[in-house]
């Protein structure tokens, strides 16, 4: 079968490109084949809305089932619409046993846009908790007042 190099796109909440700002992103290259990929080179080419890629070059040797990480610095257009975009990449490597040079064009799927900051999630949770606590306190107050009305005093 030989080497089979794949790009694994980032999928975490922290892996995204903010429009109009420089953003760090990490791509994973994995050899899913049964032979090593020698002198592996990754070249990342900017494609709108990504305007600039720094450190878009990686050199590594990958054994079967091995991974290499490319840390990129991306800059996206400040007017870019939020969504998923393809980031074109060129992967070249030498096949281990035959020493044949192979080249593959691939793409990493990246998210461009603002993600909901986790601080807002905690703030919203705290606000809901406060509202629930206030409603419980109001219900208890009404319950206590209603008990007072039904007391019968005997002489």
């Amino acid at each position: 079968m030989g080497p089979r190099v794949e790009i694994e796109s980032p999928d975490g909440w922290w892996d995204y490109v903010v429009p109009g700002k420089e953003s760090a992103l990490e791509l994973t290259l994995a050899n899913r084949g049964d032979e090593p990929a020698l002198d592996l080179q990754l070249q990342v080419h900017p494609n709108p809305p990504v305007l600039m890629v720094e450190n878009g070059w990686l050199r590594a040797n990958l054994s079967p089932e091995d991974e290499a990480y490319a840390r990129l610095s991306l800059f996206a257009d400040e007017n870019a619409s939020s969504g998923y975009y393809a980031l074109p990449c060129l992967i070249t490597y030498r096949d281990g046993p035959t020493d044949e040079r192979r080249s593959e064009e691939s793409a990493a799927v990246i998210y461009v846009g603002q993600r909901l900051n986790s601080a807002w999630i905690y703030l919203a949770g705290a606000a809901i908790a406060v509202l629930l606590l206030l409603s419980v306190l109001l219900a208890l107050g009404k319950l206590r007042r209603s008990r007072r009305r039904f007391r019968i005093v005997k002489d």
Side-chain angles (χ1 to χ4, degrees), residues 5 24 31 62 66 72 80 82 87 100 107 110 116:
V5 179
N31 183 0
L62 287 180
D66 199 9
L72 308 174
S82 295
L87 186 63
E100 178 186 346
I110 60 170
L116 186 61

Side-chain angles (χ1 to χ4, degrees), residues 24-25 27-28 37-38 53 59 61 67 78 80 83 85 89 100 103 116 124 129 143 145 147-148:
L25 192 71
L27 295 180
T28 305
L38 305 173
V53 178
R59 292 185 78 131
N61 290 325
E67 295 180 341
E78 63 185 343
Y85 294 91
C89 302
E100 178 186 346
S103 180
L116 186 61
L143 183 64
R145 274 187 249 128
R147 285 186 184 169
R148 289 184 195 154

Side-chain angles (χ1 to χ4, degrees), residues 114-143:
Q114 295 284 353
R115 296 271 184 150
L116 186 61
N117 192 343
S118 61
W120 288 108
I121 294 171
Y122 293 126
L123 185 60
I128 291 171
V130 167
L131 288 175
L132 287 174
L133 182 62
L134 286 175
S135 63
V136 167
L137 289 175
L138 286 173
L140 285 175
K142 286 184 180 183
L143 183 64

Side-chain angles (χ1 to χ4, degrees), residues 16-27:
Y16 59 94
V17 179
V18 179
K21 294 184 180 178
E22 186 175 354
S23 303
L25 192 71
E26 188 173 88
L27 295 180

